[in-house]
Protein backbone atom coordinates (compact mmCIF):
# COMPACT_ATOMS: atom_id res chain seq x y z
CA UNK A 1 0.00 0.00 0.00
CA UNK A 2 1.31 3.42 -0.95
CA UNK A 3 1.29 5.03 2.47
CA UNK A 4 1.79 8.69 1.38
CA UNK A 5 -1.04 8.44 -1.17
CA UNK A 6 -3.38 6.69 1.28
CA UNK A 7 -2.45 9.17 3.97
CA UNK A 8 -3.43 12.10 1.75
CA UNK A 9 -6.78 10.50 0.92
CA UNK A 10 -7.69 9.62 4.51
CA UNK A 11 -6.08 12.35 6.60
CA UNK A 12 -8.56 15.17 5.87
CA UNK A 13 -11.79 13.39 6.85
CA UNK A 14 -10.08 12.04 9.97
CA UNK A 15 -8.97 15.57 10.90
CA UNK A 16 -12.54 16.88 10.48
CA UNK A 17 -13.81 14.02 12.66
CA UNK A 18 -11.20 14.75 15.34
CA UNK A 19 -11.79 18.51 15.33
CA UNK A 20 -15.55 18.03 15.60
CA UNK A 21 -15.03 16.21 18.89
CA UNK A 22 -12.42 18.77 20.00
CA UNK A 23 -15.07 21.43 19.43
CA UNK A 24 -17.61 19.47 21.44
CA UNK A 25 -15.30 18.91 24.42
CA UNK A 26 -14.00 22.49 24.27
CA UNK A 27 -17.48 24.09 24.28
CA UNK A 28 -19.54 21.35 25.98
CA UNK A 29 -22.12 21.88 23.26
CA UNK A 30 -22.99 20.82 19.72
CA UNK A 31 -23.99 24.34 18.82
CA UNK A 32 -21.75 25.79 16.10
CA UNK A 33 -22.62 29.46 15.52
CA UNK A 34 -21.15 31.88 18.08
CA UNK A 35 -19.63 28.92 19.92
CA UNK A 36 -15.99 28.60 18.79
CA UNK A 37 -13.25 26.38 20.16
CA UNK A 38 -11.42 27.99 23.05
CA UNK A 39 -8.79 29.18 23.70
CA UNK A 40 -8.06 31.10 20.52
CA UNK A 41 -4.57 29.56 20.20
CA UNK A 42 -6.14 26.07 20.05
CA UNK A 43 -8.59 27.31 17.43
CA UNK A 44 -5.72 28.53 15.25
CA UNK A 45 -3.88 25.21 15.58
CA UNK A 46 -7.06 23.37 14.60
CA UNK A 47 -7.55 25.68 11.63
CA UNK A 48 -4.01 25.10 10.38
CA UNK A 49 -4.39 21.32 10.70
CA UNK A 50 -7.68 21.49 8.85
CA UNK A 51 -6.31 23.56 5.97
CA UNK A 52 -3.13 21.49 5.57
CA UNK A 53 -5.06 18.19 5.50
CA UNK A 54 -7.59 19.72 3.09
CA UNK A 55 -4.93 20.88 0.61
CA UNK A 56 -3.24 17.48 0.76
CA UNK A 57 -6.56 15.80 0.05
CA UNK A 58 -7.42 18.00 -2.91
CA UNK A 59 -3.92 17.64 -4.31
CA UNK A 60 -4.30 13.88 -4.23
CA UNK A 61 -7.81 13.70 -5.71
CA UNK A 62 -6.72 16.05 -8.52
CA UNK A 63 -4.07 13.48 -9.46
CA UNK A 64 -6.61 10.68 -9.26
CA UNK A 65 -9.38 12.44 -11.20
CA UNK A 66 -7.42 14.32 -13.85
CA UNK A 67 -4.05 12.55 -14.06
CA UNK A 68 -5.47 9.02 -13.88
CA UNK A 69 -3.34 7.91 -10.92
CA UNK A 70 -5.47 5.13 -9.45
CA UNK A 71 -5.38 4.78 -5.64
CA UNK A 72 -4.30 1.43 -4.21
CA UNK A 73 -7.43 1.39 -2.08
CA UNK A 74 -10.52 0.36 -4.07
CA UNK A 75 -13.08 3.08 -4.70
CA UNK A 76 -15.71 1.10 -2.81
CA UNK A 77 -13.51 0.75 0.29
CA UNK A 78 -12.50 4.39 0.04
CA UNK A 79 -16.12 5.58 -0.25
CA UNK A 80 -17.25 3.49 2.71
CA UNK A 81 -14.33 4.70 4.78
CA UNK A 82 -15.66 8.23 4.18
CA UNK A 83 -19.15 7.04 5.12
CA UNK A 84 -17.97 5.63 8.46
CA UNK A 85 -15.94 8.74 9.29
CA UNK A 86 -18.84 11.01 8.27
CA UNK A 87 -21.24 9.10 10.49
CA UNK A 88 -19.21 9.78 13.62
CA UNK A 89 -18.40 13.41 12.73
CA UNK A 90 -20.25 16.01 14.79
CA UNK A 91 -21.50 19.42 13.56
CA UNK A 92 -18.56 21.80 13.37
CA UNK A 93 -19.27 24.08 10.39
CA UNK A 94 -23.04 24.56 10.41
CA UNK A 95 -26.13 24.66 12.65
CA UNK A 96 -28.47 23.85 9.76
CA UNK A 97 -29.29 20.40 11.10
CA UNK A 98 -30.61 21.93 14.30
CA UNK A 99 -32.76 24.33 12.30
CA UNK A 100 -34.34 21.41 10.47
CA UNK A 101 -34.77 19.48 13.72
CA UNK A 102 -36.40 22.53 15.30
CA UNK A 103 -38.83 22.91 12.41
CA UNK A 104 -39.81 19.25 12.75
CA UNK A 105 -40.26 19.59 16.50
CA UNK A 106 -42.32 22.75 16.08
CA UNK A 107 -44.49 20.96 13.51
CA UNK A 108 -45.05 18.03 15.89
CA UNK A 109 -46.01 20.54 18.59
CA UNK A 110 -48.81 21.80 16.36
CA UNK A 111 -47.34 25.03 15.00
CA UNK A 112 -47.36 26.31 11.42
CA UNK A 113 -43.67 26.23 10.49
CA UNK A 114 -44.23 27.74 7.03
CA UNK A 115 -46.06 30.85 8.21
CA UNK A 116 -45.64 31.38 11.99
CA UNK A 117 -42.37 29.86 13.20
CA UNK A 118 -40.64 30.83 16.46
CA UNK A 119 -37.79 28.54 17.54
CA UNK A 120 -37.54 29.92 21.08
CA UNK A 121 -41.14 29.20 22.05
CA UNK A 122 -42.11 26.26 19.86
CA UNK A 123 -39.28 23.75 20.21
CA UNK A 124 -36.94 22.18 22.73
CA UNK A 125 -34.09 22.62 20.21
CA UNK A 126 -34.41 26.40 19.84
CA UNK A 127 -31.24 26.91 21.88
CA UNK A 128 -29.18 25.42 19.02
CA UNK A 129 -30.59 27.71 16.33
CA UNK A 130 -28.72 30.81 15.23
CA UNK A 131 -30.69 33.80 16.63
CA UNK A 132 -30.72 35.31 13.13
CA UNK A 133 -32.92 32.43 11.97
CA UNK A 134 -34.97 31.80 15.12
CA UNK A 135 -38.07 33.43 13.61
CA UNK A 136 -37.45 32.68 9.93
CA UNK A 137 -40.21 30.51 8.51
CA UNK A 138 -39.26 27.09 7.14
CA UNK A 139 -37.83 26.92 3.63
CA UNK A 140 -37.13 23.18 3.72
CA UNK A 141 -39.33 20.83 1.76
CA UNK A 142 -41.98 18.76 3.58
CA UNK A 143 -40.12 15.50 2.88
CA UNK A 144 -37.13 16.54 5.00
CA UNK A 145 -39.30 17.96 7.79
CA UNK A 146 -41.22 14.68 7.98
CA UNK A 147 -37.99 12.67 7.96
CA UNK A 148 -36.62 14.56 10.95
CA UNK A 149 -39.91 14.02 12.75
CA UNK A 150 -39.06 10.32 13.00
CA UNK A 151 -36.15 10.61 15.49
CA UNK A 152 -38.11 13.10 17.59
CA UNK A 153 -41.11 10.76 17.80
CA UNK A 154 -38.83 7.85 18.74
CA UNK A 155 -36.42 9.70 21.02
CA UNK A 156 -38.98 12.00 22.70
CA UNK A 157 -36.93 14.16 25.11
CA UNK A 158 -33.71 12.13 24.83
CA UNK A 159 -31.48 14.41 22.78
CA UNK A 160 -28.62 11.89 22.42
CA UNK A 161 -31.00 9.27 21.03
CA UNK A 162 -32.60 11.81 18.69
CA UNK A 163 -29.18 12.89 17.43
CA UNK A 164 -27.95 9.39 16.58
CA UNK A 165 -31.24 8.24 15.06
CA UNK A 166 -31.00 11.33 12.84
CA UNK A 167 -27.46 10.31 11.91
CA UNK A 168 -28.72 6.85 11.03
CA UNK A 169 -31.38 8.30 8.70
CA UNK A 170 -28.73 10.43 6.97
CA UNK A 171 -26.51 7.34 6.82
CA UNK A 172 -29.15 5.41 4.87
CA UNK A 173 -29.46 8.14 2.24
CA UNK A 174 -25.67 8.47 2.05
CA UNK A 175 -25.35 4.75 1.33
CA UNK A 176 -27.95 5.15 -1.42
CA UNK A 177 -25.79 7.93 -2.89
CA UNK A 178 -22.61 5.85 -2.71
CA UNK A 179 -24.20 2.80 -4.31
CA UNK A 180 -25.64 4.91 -7.13
CA UNK A 181 -22.25 6.51 -7.82
CA UNK A 182 -20.46 3.14 -7.75
CA UNK A 183 -23.07 1.79 -10.16
CA UNK A 184 -22.46 4.75 -12.50
CA UNK A 185 -18.73 4.06 -12.38
CA UNK A 186 -19.03 0.32 -12.98
CA UNK A 187 -21.67 0.43 -15.72
CA UNK A 188 -21.31 3.77 -17.50
CA UNK A 189 -18.11 5.73 -17.06
CA UNK A 190 -15.27 5.44 -14.56
CA UNK A 191 -14.96 9.24 -14.57
CA UNK A 192 -17.98 9.35 -12.30
CA UNK A 193 -15.38 8.82 -9.56
CA UNK A 194 -15.38 12.60 -9.13
CA UNK A 195 -18.77 12.10 -7.43
CA UNK A 196 -17.14 9.63 -5.04
CA UNK A 197 -14.10 11.75 -4.17
CA UNK A 198 -15.36 15.35 -4.01
CA UNK A 199 -15.79 15.65 -0.22
CA UNK A 200 -18.99 17.71 -0.22
CA UNK A 201 -21.19 14.60 0.17
CA UNK A 202 -19.41 13.04 3.15
CA UNK A 203 -18.25 16.24 4.87
CA UNK A 204 -21.28 18.47 4.27
CA UNK A 205 -23.89 15.76 3.78
CA UNK A 206 -23.44 12.99 6.32
CA UNK A 207 -20.80 14.76 8.41
CA UNK A 208 -22.56 18.11 8.84
CA UNK A 209 -26.16 16.88 8.46
CA UNK A 210 -26.97 18.96 5.40
CA UNK A 211 -30.26 17.63 4.14
CA UNK A 212 -29.18 18.03 0.50
CA UNK A 213 -27.87 14.45 0.74
CA UNK A 214 -31.49 13.24 0.92
CA UNK A 215 -32.53 14.88 -2.34
CA UNK A 216 -29.19 14.22 -4.05
CA UNK A 217 -29.39 10.48 -3.35
CA UNK A 218 -32.92 10.43 -4.81
CA UNK A 219 -31.77 12.39 -7.87
CA UNK A 220 -28.87 9.94 -8.31
CA UNK A 221 -31.19 6.95 -8.40
CA UNK A 222 -33.81 8.82 -10.41
CA UNK A 223 -31.19 9.65 -13.04
CA UNK A 224 -29.88 6.10 -13.00
CA UNK A 225 -33.39 4.72 -13.59
CA UNK A 226 -33.90 7.24 -16.39
CA UNK A 227 -30.79 5.94 -18.16
CA UNK A 228 -32.26 2.45 -17.81
CA UNK A 229 -35.52 3.61 -19.48
CA UNK A 230 -37.58 3.25 -16.29
CA UNK A 231 -39.37 6.55 -16.74
CA UNK A 232 -42.13 6.43 -14.12
CA UNK A 233 -39.92 5.30 -11.19
CA UNK A 234 -37.41 7.95 -12.26
CA UNK A 235 -40.04 10.70 -12.18
CA UNK A 236 -41.26 9.48 -8.78
CA UNK A 237 -37.78 9.80 -7.26
CA UNK A 238 -37.04 13.14 -8.91
CA UNK A 239 -40.38 14.49 -7.65
CA UNK A 240 -39.68 13.40 -4.07
CA UNK A 241 -36.23 15.00 -4.35
CA UNK A 242 -37.86 18.28 -5.42
CA UNK A 243 -40.20 18.04 -2.42
CA UNK A 244 -37.19 17.61 -0.15
CA UNK A 245 -35.47 20.76 -1.42
CA UNK A 246 -37.23 23.18 -3.73
CA UNK A 247 -34.18 24.16 -5.81
CA UNK A 248 -34.16 20.55 -6.98
CA UNK A 249 -37.27 21.35 -9.01
CA UNK A 250 -34.78 22.09 -11.78
CA UNK A 251 -34.02 18.38 -12.10
CA UNK A 252 -37.60 17.54 -13.00
CA UNK A 253 -36.53 18.85 -16.40
CA UNK A 254 -33.95 16.09 -16.87
CA UNK A 255 -36.45 13.55 -18.34
CA UNK A 256 -37.48 16.17 -20.94
CA UNK A 257 -33.89 16.89 -21.88
CA UNK A 258 -32.89 13.24 -22.02
CA UNK A 259 -35.85 12.23 -24.18
CA UNK A 260 -35.20 15.09 -26.63
CA UNK A 261 -31.53 14.18 -26.92
CA UNK A 262 -32.04 10.45 -27.28
CA UNK A 263 -34.87 10.63 -29.80
CA UNK A 264 -33.44 13.52 -31.83
CA UNK A 265 -36.78 15.27 -31.84
CA UNK A 266 -38.57 18.30 -30.57
CA UNK A 267 -42.12 16.92 -30.70
CA UNK A 268 -44.60 19.09 -28.84
CA UNK A 269 -46.99 16.14 -28.63
CA UNK A 270 -44.42 13.87 -26.98
CA UNK A 271 -43.19 16.61 -24.65
CA UNK A 272 -46.77 17.52 -23.73
CA UNK A 273 -47.53 13.94 -22.71
CA UNK A 274 -44.32 13.77 -20.70
CA UNK A 275 -45.17 17.11 -19.09
CA UNK A 276 -48.61 15.84 -18.09
CA UNK A 277 -47.04 12.74 -16.53
CA UNK A 278 -44.44 14.69 -14.56
CA UNK A 279 -46.96 17.32 -13.42
CA UNK A 280 -49.46 14.67 -12.33
CA UNK A 281 -46.90 12.67 -10.36
CA UNK A 282 -45.41 15.77 -8.75
CA UNK A 283 -48.80 17.24 -7.78
CA UNK A 284 -50.06 13.97 -6.30
CA UNK A 285 -46.89 13.55 -4.25
CA UNK A 286 -47.03 17.23 -3.33
CA UNK A 287 -50.55 16.82 -1.94
CA UNK A 288 -49.44 13.72 -0.02
CA UNK A 289 -46.38 15.30 1.60
CA UNK A 290 -47.77 18.82 2.05
CA UNK A 291 -51.09 17.67 3.52
CA UNK A 292 -49.92 17.59 7.18
CA UNK A 293 -48.51 21.11 6.93
CA UNK A 294 -50.84 23.42 5.04
CA UNK A 295 -54.36 24.67 5.51
CA UNK A 296 -54.48 26.96 2.48
CA UNK A 297 -52.67 27.30 -0.84
CA UNK A 298 -50.73 30.39 0.24
CA UNK A 299 -48.73 28.24 2.65
CA UNK A 300 -47.42 26.16 -0.25
CA UNK A 301 -45.69 29.22 -1.70
CA UNK A 302 -44.46 30.45 1.69
CA UNK A 303 -41.03 28.70 1.45
CA UNK A 304 -40.33 30.44 -1.86
CA UNK A 305 -41.03 33.79 -0.21
CA UNK A 306 -38.50 33.00 2.53
CA UNK A 307 -35.95 31.85 -0.06
CA UNK A 308 -36.23 35.21 -1.83
CA UNK A 309 -35.59 37.15 1.36
CA UNK A 310 -32.72 37.29 3.81
CA UNK A 311 -29.16 38.52 3.56
CA UNK A 312 -27.20 37.50 0.43
CA UNK A 313 -24.33 35.07 0.87
CA UNK A 314 -21.44 34.24 -1.48
CA UNK A 315 -23.14 35.26 -4.73
CA UNK A 316 -22.86 38.12 -7.21
CA UNK A 317 -25.58 39.98 -5.31
CA UNK A 318 -23.54 39.65 -2.12
CA UNK A 319 -20.15 40.62 -3.58
CA UNK A 320 -21.55 43.53 -5.61
CA UNK A 321 -23.33 44.95 -2.56
CA UNK A 322 -20.08 44.94 -0.60
CA UNK A 323 -18.23 46.60 -3.48
CA UNK A 324 -20.91 49.30 -3.58
CA UNK A 325 -20.38 49.89 0.14
CA UNK A 326 -17.03 51.51 -0.70
CA UNK A 327 -19.07 54.38 -2.11
CA UNK A 328 -21.86 54.41 0.48
CA UNK A 329 -22.48 52.97 3.93
CA UNK A 330 -25.90 51.42 3.38
CA UNK A 331 -25.20 47.71 2.95
CA UNK A 332 -28.87 46.77 3.38
CA UNK A 333 -29.78 49.41 0.82
CA UNK A 334 -27.24 47.89 -1.56
CA UNK A 335 -28.77 44.44 -1.05
CA UNK A 336 -32.15 45.89 -2.00
CA UNK A 337 -30.59 46.93 -5.31
CA UNK A 338 -28.37 43.93 -6.11
CA UNK A 339 -30.83 41.13 -5.25
CA UNK A 340 -33.51 42.07 -7.83
CA UNK A 341 -30.84 43.18 -10.31
CA UNK A 342 -29.18 39.76 -10.41
CA UNK A 343 -32.52 37.99 -10.56
CA UNK A 344 -33.14 39.82 -13.83
CA UNK A 345 -29.62 39.00 -15.03
CA UNK A 346 -30.20 35.37 -14.04
CA UNK A 347 -33.46 35.22 -15.98
CA UNK A 348 -31.70 36.63 -19.04
CA UNK A 349 -29.04 33.92 -18.64
CA UNK A 350 -31.74 31.23 -18.51
CA UNK A 351 -33.36 32.47 -21.71
CA UNK A 352 -30.04 32.64 -23.53
CA UNK A 353 -28.97 29.18 -22.30
CA UNK A 354 -32.30 27.75 -23.47
CA UNK A 355 -31.75 29.24 -26.93
CA UNK A 356 -28.25 27.75 -27.16
CA UNK A 357 -29.56 24.40 -25.97
CA UNK A 358 -32.29 24.26 -28.63
CA UNK A 359 -29.57 24.63 -31.24
CA UNK A 360 -27.63 21.72 -29.78
CA UNK A 361 -30.10 19.37 -28.10
CA UNK A 362 -29.40 16.49 -30.50
CA UNK A 363 -25.76 16.29 -29.38
CA UNK A 364 -24.74 13.53 -27.01
CA UNK A 365 -24.84 14.57 -23.34
CA UNK A 366 -26.50 17.90 -24.19
CA UNK A 367 -28.87 17.29 -21.25
CA UNK A 368 -25.89 17.31 -18.88
CA UNK A 369 -24.36 20.49 -20.26
CA UNK A 370 -27.70 22.31 -20.07
CA UNK A 371 -28.63 21.17 -16.56
CA UNK A 372 -25.16 22.07 -15.25
CA UNK A 373 -25.35 25.50 -16.89
CA UNK A 374 -28.83 26.26 -15.55
CA UNK A 375 -28.09 25.05 -12.03
CA UNK A 376 -24.82 26.99 -11.77
CA UNK A 377 -26.61 30.19 -12.85
CA UNK A 378 -29.41 29.44 -10.38
CA UNK A 379 -27.14 29.08 -7.34
CA UNK A 380 -24.63 31.83 -8.15
CA UNK A 381 -26.45 34.48 -10.19
CA UNK A 382 -30.24 34.24 -9.84
CA UNK A 383 -30.28 33.20 -6.19
CA UNK A 384 -28.88 35.60 -3.62
CA UNK A 385 -27.46 32.79 -1.50
CA UNK A 386 -24.80 30.20 -2.26
CA UNK A 387 -23.38 27.71 0.23
CA UNK A 388 -20.79 24.97 -0.46
CA UNK A 389 -23.22 22.05 -0.09
CA UNK A 390 -25.31 23.37 -2.97
CA UNK A 391 -22.68 21.74 -5.21
CA UNK A 392 -23.48 18.24 -3.91
CA UNK A 393 -25.75 17.33 -6.82
CA UNK A 394 -23.52 18.56 -9.65
CA UNK A 395 -21.01 15.65 -9.82
CA UNK A 396 -23.85 13.40 -11.01
CA UNK A 397 -23.95 15.29 -14.33
CA UNK A 398 -20.34 16.38 -14.65
CA UNK A 399 -19.03 13.52 -16.81
CA UNK A 400 -18.63 14.71 -20.40
CA UNK A 401 -16.51 12.64 -22.84
CA UNK A 402 -13.37 14.24 -24.27
CA UNK A 403 -13.62 17.35 -22.11
CA UNK A 404 -12.84 18.31 -18.52
CA UNK A 405 -13.96 21.94 -18.30
CA UNK A 406 -16.99 21.31 -16.09
CA UNK A 407 -15.12 18.81 -13.93
CA UNK A 408 -12.26 21.25 -13.31
CA UNK A 409 -14.73 24.04 -12.59
CA UNK A 410 -16.45 21.86 -9.98
CA UNK A 411 -13.10 20.85 -8.52
CA UNK A 412 -11.93 24.42 -8.03
CA UNK A 413 -15.20 25.96 -6.89
CA UNK A 414 -15.73 23.17 -4.36
CA UNK A 415 -12.17 23.71 -3.13
CA UNK A 416 -12.47 27.47 -2.60
CA UNK A 417 -16.06 27.58 -1.36
CA UNK A 418 -15.26 25.20 1.48
CA UNK A 419 -13.10 27.89 3.08
CA UNK A 420 -16.36 29.63 4.02
CA UNK A 421 -16.90 26.85 6.55
CA UNK A 422 -13.29 26.94 7.68
CA UNK A 423 -13.77 30.65 8.40
CA UNK A 424 -16.77 29.83 10.59
CA UNK A 425 -14.69 27.37 12.57
CA UNK A 426 -12.01 30.05 12.94
CA UNK A 427 -14.89 32.39 13.99
CA UNK A 428 -15.97 35.28 11.79
CA UNK A 429 -16.26 37.68 14.73
CA UNK A 430 -12.48 38.22 14.48
CA UNK A 431 -10.47 39.70 11.63
CA UNK A 432 -8.79 36.41 10.69
CA UNK A 433 -12.07 34.61 10.14
CA UNK A 434 -13.41 37.60 8.21
CA UNK A 435 -10.37 37.62 5.88
CA UNK A 436 -10.72 33.90 5.16
CA UNK A 437 -14.45 34.32 4.51
CA UNK A 438 -13.91 37.30 2.19
CA UNK A 439 -11.24 35.52 0.14
CA UNK A 440 -13.42 32.43 -0.13
CA UNK A 441 -16.40 34.45 -1.37
CA UNK A 442 -14.33 36.35 -3.94
CA UNK A 443 -12.75 33.21 -5.40
CA UNK A 444 -16.08 31.33 -5.36
CA UNK A 445 -17.95 34.07 -7.22
CA UNK A 446 -15.20 34.76 -9.75
CA UNK A 447 -14.90 31.06 -10.54
CA UNK A 448 -18.30 31.33 -12.18
CA UNK A 449 -16.35 32.73 -15.16
CA UNK A 450 -13.84 29.84 -15.24
CA UNK A 451 -13.87 28.53 -18.84
CA UNK A 452 -17.42 29.90 -19.08
CA UNK A 453 -17.49 29.99 -22.87
CA UNK A 454 -16.46 26.34 -23.16
CA UNK A 455 -18.73 25.22 -20.32
CA UNK A 456 -21.92 26.89 -21.48
CA UNK A 457 -21.57 26.77 -25.25
CA UNK A 458 -19.48 23.70 -26.02
CA UNK A 459 -21.97 20.90 -26.68
Amino acid sequence: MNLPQTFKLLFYPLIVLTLSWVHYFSTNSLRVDFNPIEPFSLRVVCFIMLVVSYILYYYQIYKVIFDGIRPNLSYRKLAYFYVVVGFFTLPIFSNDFFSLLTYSDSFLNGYSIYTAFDADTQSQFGIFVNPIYSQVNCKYGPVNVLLMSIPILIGSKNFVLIFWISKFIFLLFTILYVEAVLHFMENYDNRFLIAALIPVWFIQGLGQFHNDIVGVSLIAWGYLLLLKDKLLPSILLLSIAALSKFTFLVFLGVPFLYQMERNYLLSLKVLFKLGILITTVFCLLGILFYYPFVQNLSEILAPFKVMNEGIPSSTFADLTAYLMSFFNHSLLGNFAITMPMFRVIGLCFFVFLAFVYLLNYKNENSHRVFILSVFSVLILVYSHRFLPWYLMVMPLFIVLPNRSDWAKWLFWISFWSMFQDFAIMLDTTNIYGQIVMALSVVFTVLLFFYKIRARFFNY
Side-chain angles (χ1 to χ4, degrees), residues 145-372:
V145 178
L146 289 171
L147 271 176
M148 284 300 99
S149 298
I150 296 172
I152 298 172
L153 289 170
I154 297 174
S156 186
K157 301 294 182 180
N158 188 330
F159 177 73
V160 174
L161 183 59
I162 290 170
F163 181 88
W164 289 108
I165 292 174
S166 301
K167 268 286 188 181
F168 183 74
I169 291 172
F170 273 67
L171 173 66
L172 293 178
F173 283 98
T174 304
I175 290 173
L176 284 176
Y177 172 84
V178 168
E179 288 301 322
V181 169
L182 292 173
H183 191 89
F184 275 123
M185 290 172 59
E186 292 165 3
N187 294 277
Y188 291 96
D189 195 317
N190 195 52
R191 284 171 296 181
F192 273 102
L193 67 90
I194 191 171
L197 296 181
I198 290 289
V200 64
W201 64 270
F202 62 84
I203 295 295
Q204 298 287 5
L206 181 59
Q208 295 305 294
F209 273 119
H210 284 298
N211 62 82
D212 293 55
I213 192 63
V214 175
V216 170
S217 67
L218 295 173
I219 291 172
W221 278 101
Y223 186 39
L224 192 58
L225 290 172
L226 180 66
L227 297 179
K228 293 178 179 293
D229 294 324
K230 297 179 179 179
L231 185 60
L232 182 57
S234 171
I235 293 171
L236 281 167
L237 291 180
L238 293 174
S239 296
I240 297 172
L243 289 165
S244 74
K245 180 168 182 173
F246 297 114
T247 52
F248 290 160
L249 281 166
V250 171
F251 296 95
L252 283 176
V254 173
F256 283 102
L257 304 173
Y258 183 68
Q259 293 299 324
M260 288 172 60
E261 173 188 324
R262 193 180 65 165
N263 296 311
Y264 301 102
L265 56 83
L266 184 58
S267 169
L268 294 180
K269 183 179 179 180
V270 172
L271 295 181
F272 179 76
K273 288 182 178 179
L274 183 56
I276 291 295
L277 177 61
I278 292 174
T279 302
T280 301
V281 171
F282 180 73
C283 288
L284 289 175
L285 288 172
I287 292 170
L288 175 66
F289 287 112
Y290 252 125
Y291 180 76
F293 296 95
V294 300
Q295 298 178 359
N296 58 71
L297 292 177
S298 65
E299 292 184 76
I300 295 177
L301 299 176
F304 296 95
K305 181 177 182 296
V306 176
M307 290 167 65
N308 281 321
E309 297 173 347
I311 298 174
S313 172
S314 309
T315 58
F316 281 96
D318 180 29
L319 186 59
T320 304
Y322 275 96
L323 291 174
M324 290 169 62
S325 67
F326 284 106
F327 304 98
N328 62 59
H329 300 289
S330 177
L331 191 58
L332 291 178
N334 293 342
F335 288 150
I337 296 171
T338 61
M339 287 168 62
M341 178 176 72
F342 279 100
R343 286 195 192 105
V344 172
I345 294 173
L347 287 172
C348 292
F349 254 116
F350 293 145
V351 172
F352 186 64
L353 290 173
F355 175 75
V356 173
Y357 168 75
L358 290 175
L359 297 176
N360 295 277
Y361 73 89
K362 295 180 181 180
N363 294 338
E364 186 180 6
N365 292 308
S366 61
H367 70 286
R368 292 179 183 171
V369 176
F370 184 63
I371 205 70
L372 289 168

